[in-house]
């Protein structure tokens, strides 16, 4: 049985270290995908993949690799949608779980917010990332790994 893989859209992810810690605790390979360099490691369980600069290069790479039951960590809602189509578990950095039932509303809200920014009706500021968000992410990733392992057995 192949174990699950964890993929992180890493360029602006505030929970990379937490994701690595949880993946290590569960003995899972974690792949951080980015346009820019990060600190390298010799640990074979932690992979860094650097993709060319481009709007969706990291997203495209993740979607090409991910399989059903894998876990994707991303704040990017279109990436979340694409990963869900491939059968992955998807978590945002605050621990929010994206599902097939919730992704449509998330995409619609993203488009609305983009429209409001473009028309000047919103400055587009995101809420501050808190220690509570970090804690919720840690718990949600543990739960996602448990769910994913159940589907692989």
């Amino acid at each position: 049985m192949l174990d699950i893989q964890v993929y992180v859209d890493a360029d602006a992810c505030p929970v990379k270290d937490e994701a690595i810690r949880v993946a290590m605790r569960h003995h899972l390979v974690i792949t951080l995908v980015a346009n820019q360099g990060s600190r390298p490691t010799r640990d074979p369980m932690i992979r860094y993949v650097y993709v060319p600069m481009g709007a969706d290069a990291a997203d495209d790479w993740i979607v090409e690799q991910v399989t059903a039951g894998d876990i994707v960590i991303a704040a990017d809602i279109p990436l979340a949608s694409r990963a869900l189509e491939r059968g992955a578990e998807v978590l945002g950095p605050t621990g929010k779980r994206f599902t097939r039932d919730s992704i449509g509303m998330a995409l619609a809200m993203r488009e609305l917010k983009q429209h409001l920014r473009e028309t000047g009706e919103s400055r587009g500021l995101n809420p501050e990332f808190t220690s509570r968000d970090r804690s919720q992410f840690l718990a949600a990733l543990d739960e996602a790994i448990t769910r994913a392992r159940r589907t692989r057995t």
Side-chain angles (χ1 to χ4, degrees), residues 4-68:
I4 59 177
Q5 301 276 318
V6 178
Y7 296 95
V8 180
D9 184 11
D11 277 324
C13 181
V15 290
K16 289 186 283 270
D17 292 337
E18 290 80 359
I20 290 169
R21 247 189 359 256
V22 173
M24 294 297 94
R25 188 170 63 244
H26 287 277
H27 308 288
L28 298 177
V29 172
I30 183 168
T31 304
L32 295 100
V33 185
N35 299 113
Q36 333 176 25
S38 296
R39 61 183 184 275
T41 178
R42 292 184 182 187
D43 189 326
M45 301 295 281
I46 305 170
R47 296 182 350 173
Y48 287 92
V49 173
Y50 303 106
V51 296
M53 294 300 270
D56 294 323
D59 300 2
D60 292 343
W61 191 93
I62 291 169
V63 171
E64 288 171 11
Q65 305 302 312
V66 74
T67 61

Side-chain angles (χ1 to χ4, degrees), residues 62-63 66 72 78-90:
I62 291 169
V63 171
V66 74
V72 174
L79 170 57
S81 178
R82 294 171 66 195
L84 285 169
E85 288 173 11
R86 303 274 306 209
E89 282 271 338
V90 184

Side-chain angles (χ1 to χ4, degrees), residues 119-137:
T119 60
E121 294 181 47
S122 170
R123 292 187 306 170
L125 300 175
N126 291 324
E128 183 178 320
F129 191 78
T130 67
S131 58
R132 182 170 187 248
D133 293 329
R134 201 172 301 281
S135 294
Q136 287 175 327
F137 171 79

Side-chain angles (χ1 to χ4, degrees), residues 74-136:
D76 183 298
I77 296 170
L79 170 57
S81 178
R82 294 171 66 195
L84 285 169
E85 288 173 11
R86 303 274 306 209
E89 282 271 338
V90 184
L91 295 177
T94 62
K96 176 182 178 168
R97 181 180 179 209
F98 293 101
T99 66
R100 293 175 197 251
D101 292 335
S102 70
I103 197 66
M105 180 60 76
L107 285 165
M109 289 301 295
R110 177 185 178 274
E111 286 185 32
L112 175 62
K113 288 178 181 179
Q114 182 176 347
H115 173 74
L116 292 174
R117 282 191 304 273
E118 289 169 356
T119 60
E121 294 181 47
S122 170
R123 292 187 306 170
L125 300 175
N126 291 324
E128 183 178 320
F129 191 78
T130 67
S131 58
R132 182 170 187 248
D133 293 329
R134 201 172 301 281
S135 294
Q136 287 175 327

